[in-house]
Amino acid sequence: MNAPFGRCPIAYLRWAASRGTLNPCKARHTLSRGYASGNLAGLKQILRVSEEVTEALATNKPVVALETTIYTHGALGNDLDLEGIVRRNGAIPAVVGILEGVPTVGLTPDEVIHMVEGSPRKVSRRDIAYVVGTSMTGRKINGGTTIAGTMVLARLAGIRVFGTGGLGGVHRGGHESFDISADLTELGRTRMAVICSGIKGFLDIPRTFEYLETQGAMVSTFADGRTGDVDFPGFWTRETGIKSPFVVEDEEHAAAILLAQEKLGIESGLLFANPIPEKDSIPGKEMSRIIEQAVREADEEGAHGFRNTPFILGRIRELTKGASAPANKALVRSNVERAAKVAGALSRLTSEGASSSNSPVTPQADILVAGSVAVDLSCDYTGVNPLQDPIPQLHTSNPSHISQSIGGVGRNVALAAHRINKHAKVRLCSMVGRDLAGSTVLASLESSGMDISCIQQLSRDEHPGSRTAQYVSVNDANKHLVLAMADMDIFTNQTFSPSWTSIVKSSSPKWLVVDANWKDHDIRRWMQAGKQNKAQIAYEPVSKAKSERLFCSERSIENLGVFPNATVDLATPNQYELAAMHTAAQTNEYFDSPRWWSVIDAFGMRGARDRFLKITSATMTDAGIPQQAIQLLPYIPTIVTKLGSAGALLTTILRRDDPRLFDAAHEQFILTRCTNGDANVGGVYMRLFLPSENVIDAVSVNGIGDTFLGTLVAGLAQGGKIQNLVDVAQKAAVLTLRSSESVSDKLGSLEKELLAAASLE
């Protein structure tokens, strides 16, 4: 790749940014907000990781760390394209540096330009605290990270592989001057696979080996097709006459060594020397002569300390008549390419290990529920005259009856499905803290007969802020919800674990229910995992605010699928959640998509208002409920809107061959028929189900919507049709409404009715 920028790295970066060659997402993810004492834990509070790198790490995609001194203090020109090399080899590049005092992993091209133009310091381990701390006082400092500095920050982010040029080492005479690179001590205490072209040839390679051995860092060289002992490379040359302590056959061998190091808990780093490509190598004897002359002249000129390396590198460039520069470029590119391949091999090996016979095998499930489990507190107002004044007073304490139970949307949905069909295999995927509340939750689930094998228990040491979730509802004297407070941070502070994907794969569920307590990106990851394993997806919106997460900005995540390839198959919002989802979809331009318009056009909605009025009511139509459901249908082909005392509104897309289109019994519910010949859309079905009964003896509203969805999914997993299941789901919700529990323990009384409804055509 040739580009007209002279030798200016900044010009190259601007060009790369314009072409998208360097393109990590700009979004940032804070790894930890809570302070934890211990080695480097304080820094972890403010480490920022790009959303692209965060997502890659969470889903076991290969990631390669790249240093920034190559931009801030290098002299290799403008055409390295290291990030592009990483991407072309199937990995995600993570450029590491300190931007305006913030340690960052996954810098964008514009951010690197800003850093380079801001008089950056060269930052090693010793400099990190100074640069960050000084910036906290208001004097923002930029920093290009060295090998040591990059290792520290990359390891904090969870990256395991680092590609760079050449390692520092023990300088000649270092046994007297103690001039030893910080790269070596970093290898002794930071587990990272460092792929480089060995140690710069003018350093003392044998003493560097001795020092690394003392530090406990493995030193090896890729065989590159050679057999037997091989030379440790000398940066610009493949031959040094010094044999490598260990030989690594290929990238898979290197990945296996790194994985073994991790499993053994050994914290020192691993040096994998990658010889410069033969066509770019300078002959060993020639390079040795040049190096000796450059070192001698440095001594004669008194170029010691920080002046030593720049002086020697400059003389080598002159003595090789410029040949050392293209060799340097070639070796850096080769190292980064090999690093990407090692990262890819490690990703594959990790995935295979997760599903090997040595790992617990998750049995199959009919229904998998990914959602929250929490300790619920229900506060029911018991004022002096609750019949005349049923609403609790604001800004003061109120008399009430307070009860505690185990709840959480995900738990409630799973338990409802489990209780209404005892033969269904239901599994809950969730998280609790390693605290008293978490132990109470697990014991309660086990006592209910629930499978808890996929519930993670997180410790605060490893996962700061991982408190077991809690939910507090405040209800009026009629048991109607006035307001609720929820602490669900455990679900938004953690990143999506690759183990979840493995669980979905091994469970192979018919239905995957995802609740909105997860972060928006994690909601998509759950749904993608389900679709990849041929599960149907149900979305439980949870609340008005959280319901919007399905329709978040799509700038850095995979697009939401549209019918007939919709990501979501079913959603059960109440009317307020429906409105919030509609607003979010409109705000984030989901209704501007040509894919959406294609489906909407196929509906043939002209004159639909009269049909809305006939099927629903003037009140619902004026509130926009049927209209909102219709506009969301391309993304959610079946929506059951819970309307409280008004019942439930089913709105669904009918395919061209759907029997309901040709059945006189369903004619009254056919809202529209497709008239434009669309290959997939046959029409729209809309049906209002009146409530099963008027309840006047409600005990608690907690969990009624979750019970409704759990019952629906239990019937759907048995092959039932949605229109035949809504009435049973409403009856189940009434049982919970009359129960002090968030899921009634009497749901089993409806099992025969559910199975009968599921068997109907």
Side-chain angles (χ1 to χ4, degrees):
M1 177 182 69
N2 295 315
F5 319 114
R7 299 182 62 80
C8 175
I10 298 177
Y12 164 67
L13 287 164
R14 287 200 177 102
W15 175 81
S18 69
R19 286 174 57 92
T21 306
L22 313 177
N23 191 31
C25 300
K26 291 185 178 180
R28 290 284 172 257
H29 173 69
T30 303
L31 289 188
S32 170
R33 294 177 183 173
Y35 179 81
S37 61
N39 187 34
L40 294 176
L43 176 62
K44 196 173 181 182
Q45 293 180 19
I46 52 176
L47 179 69
R48 294 195 302 165
V49 184
S50 75
E51 194 63 52
E52 182 184 36
V53 173
T54 299
E55 191 274 339
L57 292 170
T59 55
N60 192 33
K61 293 178 183 176
V63 179
V64 176
L66 300 172
E67 61 170 288
T68 40
T69 50
I70 201 164
Y71 297 125
T72 60
H73 295 81
L76 294 182
N78 49 51
D79 56 352
L80 291 176
D81 190 30
L82 302 184
E83 293 85 348
I85 291 170
V86 172
R87 292 185 189 279
R88 288 193 292 275
N89 283 277
I92 302 299
V95 181
V96 179
I98 297 182
L99 180 67
E100 297 287 342
V102 179
T104 303
V105 177
L107 287 162
T108 67
D110 287 341
E111 288 171 337
V112 175
I113 292 170
H114 180 75
M115 182 174 61
V116 172
E117 292 177 338
S119 302
R121 296 177 64 102
K122 184 180 284 190
V123 176
S124 185
R125 170 186 276 266
R126 69 165 189 181
D127 309 292
I128 294 173
Y130 175 83
V131 172
V132 175
T134 301
S135 298
M136 288 177 177
T137 68
R139 186 159 62 91
K140 304 299 183 183
I141 300 176
N142 293 319
T145 50
T146 64
I147 288 177
T150 301
M151 288 175 68
V152 171
L153 299 181
R155 174 63 193 280
L156 281 175
I159 298 173
R160 304 144 93 185
V161 180
F162 172 24
T164 186
L167 194 72
V170 178
H171 281 251
R172 299 189 184 196
H175 59 293
E176 296 176 346
S177 67
F178 294 99
D179 193 350
I180 302 170
S181 171
D183 299 346
L184 306 188
T185 51
E186 202 58 52
L187 273 167
R189 56 185 161 190
T190 300
R191 186 170 61 227
M192 180 74 60
V194 179
I195 289 85
C196 66
S197 289
I199 298 157
K200 295 182 176 68
F202 56 86
L203 302 174
D204 191 328
I205 296 177
R207 282 198 170 95
T208 298
F209 280 3
E210 292 291 338
Y211 192 90
L212 286 172
E213 181 181 354
T214 302
Q215 294 292 315
M218 190 204 76
V219 177
S220 63
T221 302
F222 283 102
D224 247 12
R226 299 168 290 181
T227 58
D229 293 339
V230 301
D231 274 14
F232 186 80
F235 201 62
W236 302 278
T237 183
R238 295 171 67 88
E239 312 93 20
T240 58
I242 301 169
K243 297 304 177 185
S244 177
F246 294 97
V247 178
V248 177
E249 294 301 321
D250 50 29
E251 291 87 358
E252 286 71 21
H253 189 187
I257 293 169
L258 175 56
L259 190 58
Q261 186 94 328
E262 292 179 353
K263 288 181 178 291
L264 290 166
I266 300 172
E267 289 299 323
S268 52
L270 301 161
L271 175 60
F272 296 101
N274 181 40
I276 184 174
E278 285 193 59
K279 63 183 179 62
D280 302 298
S281 176
I282 299 174
K285 290 183 179 179
E286 177 186 344
M287 200 67 226
S288 180
R289 177 183 56 79
I290 290 170
I291 287 172
E292 291 300 326
Q293 181 178 340
V295 170
R296 185 176 64 253
E297 291 179 3
D299 286 339
E300 293 170 354
E301 293 292 329
H304 303 300
F306 70 90
R307 292 182 54 220
N308 183 257
T309 297
F311 180 91
I312 292 176
L313 289 175
R315 284 298 291 142
I316 288 174
R317 189 179 299 111
E318 293 169 359
L319 294 170
T320 59
K321 296 179 179 168
S324 64
N328 200 342
K329 292 180 182 179
L331 66 87
V332 172
R333 291 176 182 140
S334 175
N335 297 341
V336 167
E337 179 178 350
R338 180 147 253 166
K341 292 177 179 177
V342 170
L346 180 62
S347 175
R348 292 190 296 274
L349 195 60
T350 303
S351 296
E352 291 166 6
S355 58
S356 71
S357 59
N358 294 326
S359 301
V361 177
T362 305
Q364 289 191 333
D366 298 312
I367 301 166
L368 201 64
V369 180
S372 66
V373 60
V375 175
D376 281 355
L377 288 174
S378 180
C379 309
D380 298 328
Y381 178 62
T382 57
V384 176
N385 194 348
L387 293 178
Q388 294 183 1
D389 188 13
I391 307 298
Q393 303 300 306
L394 297 178
H395 312 301
T396 187
S397 61
N398 289 269
S400 66
H401 173 74
I402 300 176
S403 58
Q404 178 176 307
S405 61
I406 305 303
V409 171
R411 175 264 188 190
N412 294 345
V413 172
L415 184 58
H418 170 72
R419 283 182 168 171
I420 202 163
N421 183 4
K422 61 179 180 291
H423 301 293
K425 297 176 182 176
V426 183
R427 186 168 299 121
L428 173 63
C429 297
S430 193
M431 296 183 290
V432 296
R434 197 174 295 279
D435 48 30
L436 180 60
S439 299
T440 302
V441 166
L442 294 176
S444 172
L445 293 173
E446 276 196 295
S447 68
S448 300
M450 294 285 292
D451 182 345
I452 64 170
S453 62
C454 297
I455 298 179
Q456 297 181 355
Q457 193 168 22
L458 309 181
S459 70
R460 294 193 185 184
D461 290 339
E462 296 179 6
H463 304 277
S466 55
R467 301 177 302 278
T468 297
Q470 297 192 51
Y471 173 86
V472 180
S473 64
V474 177
N475 308 315
D476 65 19
N478 298 317
K479 315 296 185 183
H480 295 151
L481 181 68
V482 176
L483 64 88
M485 306 289 281
D487 177 1
M488 298 290 170
D489 284 355
I490 191 171
F491 298 101
T492 55
N493 283 349
Q494 314 304 321
T495 56
F496 184 85
S497 169
S499 64
W500 294 132
T501 302
S502 300
I503 287 170
V504 175
K505 182 177 181 180
S506 58
S507 297
S508 189
K510 297 174 184 176
W511 277 87
L512 170 63
V513 181
V514 183
D515 83 23
N517 280 302
W518 305 93
K519 291 182 298 187
D520 45 16
H521 285 61
D522 288 352
I523 289 171
R524 293 290 178 91
R525 293 185 189 113
W526 274 112
M527 292 177 172
Q528 289 161 13
K531 284 300 180 183
Q532 288 166 4
N533 291 282
K534 299 180 180 179
Q536 295 195 75
I537 309 297
Y539 177 64
E540 168 46 56
V542 176
S543 69
K544 182 178 177 181
K546 293 177 181 178
S547 66
E548 301 174 356
R549 291 175 178 173
L550 181 63
F551 293 99
C552 61
S553 171
E554 292 190 317
R555 291 173 185 167
S556 58
I557 58 176
E558 186 174 318
N559 288 344
L560 199 63
V562 171
F563 182 85
N565 302 306
T567 305
V568 186
D569 298 285
L570 168 69
T572 55
N574 61 34
Q575 64 190 83
Y576 307 107
E577 292 161 352
L578 178 74
M581 291 163 62
H582 182 271
T583 299
Q586 194 167 38
T587 300
N588 290 312
E589 302 178 348
Y590 284 75
F591 299 155
D592 294 340
S593 166
R595 298 178 302 146
W596 178 83
W597 274 110
S598 177
V599 180
I600 289 294
D601 287 344
F603 288 168
M605 293 300 298
R606 292 182 181 176
R609 178 175 171 80
D610 290 340
R611 296 288 292 159
F612 288 154
L613 292 171
K614 184 175 181 180
I615 293 174
T616 64
S617 68
T619 301
M620 289 185 204
T621 301
D622 291 343
I625 293 171
Q627 298 92 323
Q628 291 164 358
I630 289 292
Q631 291 187 21
L632 291 174
L633 276 187
Y635 292 105
I636 311 172
T638 299
I639 299 174
V640 183
T641 307
K642 297 169 294 191
L643 301 168
S645 60
L649 180 65
L650 167 64
T651 312
T652 187
I653 299 177
L654 301 180
R655 291 179 177 268
R656 293 186 65 84
D657 59 352
D658 194 296
R660 285 170 289 184
L661 286 168
F662 315 104
D663 188 339
H666 292 285
E667 179 62 32
Q668 60 183 317
F669 309 121
I670 304 298
L671 180 71
T672 63
R673 295 177 183 270
C674 177
T675 58
N676 70 353
D678 186 273
N680 298 293
V681 177
V684 176
Y685 185 93
M686 182 174 284
R687 181 173 177 178
L688 178 64
F689 291 82
L690 297 177
S692 59
E693 63 177 285
N694 182 24
V695 180
I696 58 175
D697 55 346
V699 174
S700 173
V701 296
N702 288 349
I704 58 174
D706 308 334
T707 300
F708 181 85
L709 175 58
T711 303
L712 277 183
V713 173
L716 291 168
Q718 295 297 313
K721 304 293 192 297
I722 189 77
Q723 69 272 12
N724 298 329
L725 301 171
V726 174
D727 281 335
V728 185
Q730 289 197 103
K731 291 179 181 179
V734 168
L735 288 178
T736 291
L737 186 60
R738 289 193 169 115
S739 171
S740 59
E741 299 183 42
S742 50
V743 176
S744 172
D745 59 2
K746 297 180 180 179
L747 290 189
S749 64
L750 293 172
E751 182 174 11
K752 289 183 180 179
E753 186 173 347
L754 175 73
L755 295 178
S759 66
L760 296 174
E761 291 298 326

